[in-house]
Amino acid sequence: ISNFWEFYSLHYANVSIGTPAVSFLVALDTGSDLFWLPCDCSKCVRGLKTSDNQMIEFNIYSLNSSNTSSKVPCSSALCEQQKQCSSPQSNCPYEVLYLSNGTSSTGVLVEDVLHLTTDEDKTKAVEAKITFGCGQTQTGSFLNGAAPNGLFGLGMDNVSVPSILANENLASNSFSMCFGSDGVGRITFGDRGSSGQGETPFNLRQSQPTYNVSITQVNVGGNTADLDFNAIFDSGTSFTYLNDPAYTLISENFNNFAMEKRHTSNSSGLPFEYCYDLSANQTSFKYPIVNLTMKGGDYFFVNDPIIVISLQGGDVYCLGIVKSDNVNIIGQNFMTGYRIVFDRERMVLGWKASDCYDVEASNTLPVNPPTGVPPAIAVNPEATSGNANNTNISGASPSITSPSRHLKTLFYALTFALIPFFALI
């Protein structure tokens, strides 16, 4: 799709690594495990220009520039490719392949300091020794705008940053991500949630465990349908991927209640099937609500199921769901307006409505978050199957919403922002 890259965006955070400390603008990805940075590489993205023409020049990590860096030997328990090692003392190689076609990162594992501060005392520095990838070669989407300055893996594997912090007794084995409606958010390590939050258990698999949950009902426009399927909560995917029958059920019911004329042009390169034209002077519109019922009975109201996109012929709004043949992913667009808790101690997903400003921000990014929320590519989602039960749609009247245009109890927080990148430099 020729225009597809124009609609990509992910959530990014500034992280500080090494001695002296160097900052990197990394994409936050709960759908993968390894944290990697562009490192001692000959072919790397050196910077990006944002939609408002601000220039962001990137740092490139170098082992020789940090006094606290070291290479990880093949004898390390975190070395997953020991079969490729010539000896236990050899440098541990890594290779991560992502779902996006031709997208990968390869290099060697290194260890260095991740600089953190606590929510309780901003002046208190915490230096956490972590293992991450020295990304010597990136391919595919990583050279075209997706995670060009590194990927912060937040999955369940032992090599992920939350796992390392928990194993080193630096934080509880739980973290949260808050996705504000204005594109600003927070990631907090050691956050185990709060009273009154919704919860649902993770569906754990021994091989490649992910943040996979079960959905038992969907409600679109007030019509409720029993539908049992699994999906992964993946912050590295900007919009939501669903296979049938969930995709057809949600999108067709959404279309039945949509009030604007459906967009029919095939020349715009949109990845979405259900889009609707907005008139030139239109300042507000209504669209059907989308609600999910999670396993256990708690409701998950989707605050932001649509995406507004400006095309050459005028603005459209689209249902932010893409049809998938083999994956079900709840992307970050469905997480907007929530503090999402990934509780790996109790093995539950939690969520609670939040504007992400209820805790004082510890840092700010050198960019202004966009007012619109365009979609982005999926980075490393894990495949999961969906199982359908009988679909029973009630005769309820449509509902619409109208927008206008205990280890240690320390909390380590980083602010992040939703940033649509448009040009490489």
Side-chain angles (χ1 to χ4, degrees):
I1 301 174
S2 60
N3 297 329
F4 201 29
W5 276 110
E6 296 180 10
F7 308 117
Y8 287 175
S9 60
L10 291 173
H11 275 96
Y12 292 80
N14 264 331
V15 298
S16 182
I17 301 290
T19 308
V22 179
S23 63
F24 299 87
L25 192 62
V26 296
L28 302 172
D29 185 17
T30 59
S32 65
D33 299 299
L34 183 68
F35 168 32
W36 60 262
L37 295 172
C39 166
D40 294 330
C41 45
S42 58
K43 187 177 181 181
C44 300
V45 176
R46 300 288 173 176
L48 293 172
K49 183 170 67 174
T50 66
S51 58
D52 55 1
N53 289 321
Q54 293 192 51
M55 304 297 293
I56 300 178
E57 294 184 358
F58 289 153
N59 292 314
I60 304 298
Y61 181 83
S62 176
L63 280 162
N64 296 330
S65 299
S66 175
N67 298 328
T68 49
S69 67
S70 61
K71 291 186 178 180
V72 174
C74 287
S75 57
S76 170
L78 295 180
C79 183
E80 297 182 351
Q81 297 196 30
Q82 294 179 353
K83 293 181 179 180
Q84 298 185 18
C85 299
S86 58
S87 71
Q89 290 74 38
S90 300
N91 299 327
C92 175
Y94 82 86
E95 180 180 23
V96 183
L97 305 176
Y98 297 85
L99 186 67
S100 301
N101 188 32
T103 299
S104 67
S105 177
T106 58
V108 296
L109 293 186
V110 300
E111 186 179 74
D112 209 339
V113 172
L114 170 65
H115 301 274
L116 298 167
T117 59
T118 68
D119 269 359
E120 288 84 355
D121 184 359
K122 298 294 192 303
T123 64
K124 181 181 178 181
V126 177
E127 296 185 351
K129 272 281 189 178
I130 61 165
T131 296
F132 61 96
C134 170
Q136 297 163 334
T137 304
Q138 276 67 249
T139 64
S141 299
F142 295 140
L143 299 178
N144 293 309
N149 198 217
L151 189 71
F152 205 76
L154 294 163
M156 289 190 177
D157 193 76
N158 287 335
V159 77
S160 74
V161 173
S163 298
I164 293 174
L165 295 177
N167 290 335
E168 295 297 323
N169 293 333
L170 292 171
S172 299
N173 194 13
S174 182
F175 70 95
S176 68
M177 296 182 71
C178 192
F179 300 87
S181 59
D182 59 358
V184 170
R186 294 173 60 81
I187 177 171
T188 307
F189 301 106
D191 186 357
R192 292 177 292 182
S194 58
S195 60
Q197 69 180 13
E199 290 186 349
T200 193
F202 290 130
N203 302 316
L204 293 181
R205 297 177 179 177
Q206 290 185 348
S207 61
Q208 295 182 324
T210 59
Y211 303 116
N212 185 303
V213 301
S214 293
I215 298 165
T216 60
Q217 282 185 331
V218 296
N219 182 300
V220 182
N223 281 357
T224 300
D226 293 326
L227 189 65
D228 189 4
F229 65 99
N230 299 333
I232 296 170
F233 268 66
D234 181 7
S235 66
T237 304
S238 284
F239 37 79
T240 295
Y241 286 75
L242 295 177
N243 54 32
D244 278 333
Y247 174 81
T248 296
L249 176 67
I250 294 175
S251 57
E252 289 189 355
N253 274 277
F254 187 93
N255 186 61
N256 289 339
F257 294 125
M259 297 182 176
E260 273 69 33
K261 180 182 177 182
R262 187 170 173 183
H263 183 74
T264 57
S265 174
N266 294 324
S267 61
S268 55
L270 294 173
F272 309 107
E273 186 178 1
Y274 290 85
C275 297
Y276 304 88
D277 293 320
L278 297 173
S279 61
N281 298 323
Q282 190 168 354
T283 59
S284 65
F285 58 96
K286 297 179 179 181
Y287 60 88
I289 64 166
V290 178
N291 286 319
L292 306 176
T293 304
M294 301 299 195
K295 182 178 180 180
D298 285 346
Y299 297 105
F300 188 95
F301 174 75
V302 181
N303 294 300
D304 196 18
I306 66 160
I307 294 167
V308 179
I309 300 172
S310 295
L311 301 176
Q312 189 172 10
D315 291 349
V316 299
Y317 79 87
C318 303
L319 177 63
I321 301 177
V322 176
K323 187 173 185 179
S324 172
D325 294 329
N326 57 2
V327 293
N328 286 320
I329 297 171
I330 302 299
Q332 63 185 19
N333 64 326
F334 273 33
M335 303 183 211
T336 300
Y338 284 109
R339 172 180 164 210
I340 307 292
V341 179
F342 299 85
D343 191 332
R344 296 122 58 89
E345 290 184 357
R346 298 169 53 229
M347 288 299 171
V348 298
L349 181 83
W351 62 93
K352 193 171 187 178
S354 176
D355 64 2
C356 305
Y357 289 96
D358 51 355
V359 178
E360 182 184 356
S362 59
N363 190 20
T364 58
L365 292 174
V367 292
N368 295 319
T371 56
V373 186
I377 68 165
V379 178
N380 197 34
E382 297 285 347
T384 179
S385 60
N387 299 314
N389 288 340
N390 293 332
T391 302
N392 300 311
I393 301 177
S394 67
S397 59
S399 299
I400 53 178
T401 184
S402 177
S404 63
R405 292 265 244 210
H406 209 64
L407 294 172
K408 294 187 177 180
T409 58
L410 297 177
F411 289 155
Y412 307 108
L414 298 167
T415 57
F416 61 77
L418 181 70
I419 306 172
F421 289 123
F422 289 84
L424 304 177
I425 59 174

